Amino acid sequence: IASQGREPYRKMQSTSYRLGNPSHLGLSKTSCKPAVLYAAAKRSSRAVSMSAHSPALPADFNESYVELAHKLADAAAGVTRKYFRSPFDVETKSDASPVTIADKEAETAMRAIITQVCPDHGVFGEEHGLKVGSGEAGSRYMWVLDPIDGTKSFITGKPLFGTLISLLHDGRPILGVIDQPILRERWLGVSGRPSTLNGAPIKTRACADMKLAYLYATTPHMFSGATEQSFNRVRDSVRIPMYGCDCYAYGLLAAGLCDLVVEADLKPYDYMALVPVIKGAGGEITDWRGAELSWQPQPGSQDLIGGWPGEVCAAGDPRLHKQAVSLLAWK
């Protein structure tokens, strides 16, 4: 599955998404500087700079976990491509969000592989809930899965949804994948290493001035009350606010194509995979208070929601992130 599913990604590395003159993107001289991407990044003699606080991998981390993450993405892609822009029923979950047979089957496929390869690891998915890990090592590792982040985009045929796969160790995300199966784009982040898009190193772009920043959020309707007031302060301070990309916006940020993503009403499967990708590209991602994103449920706990952050602020430039957190003024 892995070798067949990933072949198109490898082929694209030398032919796609080369960034030339900034004017090609309509950027003025006062715009935030675009990063050098993909093929150009491979030619660069400089490694992608890592955040000083980027944590090291745990001593018992197995390199096979990276290959496993690719296999999970391949398996989910096989399901989502089959159903994309095809007739299917849409159900409504208890929280009023939509779900499809593609969401359910994609997560089932990923869980089956994890059970076969790492049966002692924990798993938490949007559609099939929590399975706590077993044993001394297994209880410290948990896979967090969102088979289709952006189900509304998927339902309406917009190829900006994504499959999110992350591996947590003691509640901290150390490996993350953002996979867009229709466009065949795959971001990979591993703690302490440069992030990649289809195998080529990527980095965020410099933007230290809020008034020059390009901002994304999935929808303005995800904010209400206090979160809306905080978000509006950021929205009103940036150059261009935009909506509608789901997890894809974070991939664009990591690739140096936008500057800021601010969202609320999220759950761990919405953002854990994003953390290693963005940090490995030189960016910053935290909750609205500036605290690291982590989550480790206790065995037998009935309150999963109470322990996880719901608001996320990601920036390509750590200086911009600091300004955004200050504007959010979240308490």
Side-chain angles (χ1 to χ4, degrees):
I1 296 175
S3 61
Q4 294 177 355
R6 287 163 56 192
E7 183 64 25
Y9 296 87
R10 288 195 293 267
K11 288 180 179 178
M12 287 175 61
Q13 290 176 23
S14 61
T15 59
S16 301
Y17 306 102
R18 298 180 186 226
L19 184 63
N21 192 308
S23 63
H24 173 70
L25 298 179
L27 298 175
S28 70
K29 292 183 179 180
T30 59
S31 298
C32 290
K33 183 179 179 181
V36 178
L37 303 180
Y38 318 133
K42 297 184 83 172
R43 294 192 299 268
S44 174
S45 61
R46 295 184 302 165
V48 177
S49 60
M50 303 298 296
S51 301
H53 60 271
S54 183
L57 290 169
D60 62 346
F61 179 83
N62 192 315
E63 288 297 327
S64 67
Y65 297 157
V66 178
E67 185 63 25
L68 174 55
H70 280 298
K71 289 182 178 180
L72 299 180
D74 292 341
V79 175
T80 52
R81 289 193 196 111
K82 178 176 66 175
Y83 288 108
F84 186 63
R85 293 182 181 173
S86 297
F88 50 76
D89 293 330
V90 179
E91 303 175 27
T92 301
K93 296 190 285 190
S94 59
D95 63 357
S97 64
V99 64
T100 72
I101 188 172
D103 297 83
K104 295 177 180 179
E105 286 190 6
E107 184 172 322
T108 297
M110 289 190 287
R111 281 177 174 264
I113 295 171
I114 295 171
T115 298
Q116 180 182 19
V117 179
C118 298
D120 56 339
H121 284 194
V123 184
F124 179 55
E126 179 173 11
E127 308 307 335
H128 300 304
L130 174 66
K131 172 208 163 189
V132 177
S134 60
E136 182 177 353
S139 61
R140 303 183 71 181
Y141 283 99
M142 176 175 292
W143 295 88
V144 179
L145 312 172
D146 191 346
I148 299 179
D149 181 81
T151 300
K152 294 175 185 176
S153 292
F154 180 81
I155 291 169
T156 56
K158 184 169 67 174
L160 296 183
F161 64 92
T163 295
L164 298 179
I165 299 162
S166 61
L167 178 61
L168 313 187
H169 182 265
D170 290 339
R172 178 174 59 88
I174 58 172
L175 186 159
V177 169
I178 307 170
D179 189 65
Q180 210 312 305
I182 308 304
L183 301 178
R184 296 182 183 270
E185 295 178 319
R186 183 174 297 175
W187 287 260
L188 172 68
V190 180
S191 187
R193 302 176 186 175
S195 295
T196 61
L197 171 53
N198 291 348
I202 54 173
K203 66 179 296 183
T204 59
R205 69 186 185 186
C207 184
D209 191 341
M210 184 67 69
K211 69 177 179 290
L212 297 179
Y214 285 69
L215 164 74
Y216 264 113
T218 294
T219 172
H221 301 298
M222 70 194 323
F223 309 101
S224 63
T227 61
E228 183 176 17
Q229 294 173 19
S230 292
F231 173 76
N232 287 351
R233 287 194 293 271
V234 177
R235 180 203 63 192
D236 294 343
S237 301
V238 302
R239 182 179 184 181
I240 302 289
M242 297 172 288
Y243 303 97
C245 273
D246 300 297
C247 65
Y248 197 77
Y250 295 89
L252 295 176
L253 186 147
L257 296 170
C258 67
D259 306 297
L260 194 61
V261 184
V262 177
E263 299 194 305
D265 194 28
L266 302 181
K267 300 174 179 64
Y269 43 72
D270 294 317
Y271 54 74
M272 285 302 184
L274 314 173
V275 176
V277 172
I278 289 174
K279 287 191 174 184
E284 183 62 276
I285 177 169
T286 66
D287 68 13
W288 282 10
R289 296 181 179 88
E292 295 293 318
L293 295 168
S294 63
W295 176 68
Q296 187 171 26
Q298 299 302 312
S301 174
Q302 299 299 313
D303 180 19
L304 298 179
I305 298 178
W308 66 47
E311 299 80 31
V312 169
C313 176
D317 190 320
R319 297 168 296 180
L320 185 66
H321 180 270
K322 185 176 181 180
Q323 295 173 44
V325 169
S326 178
L327 282 170
L328 288 167
W330 193 243
K331 298 179 181 179

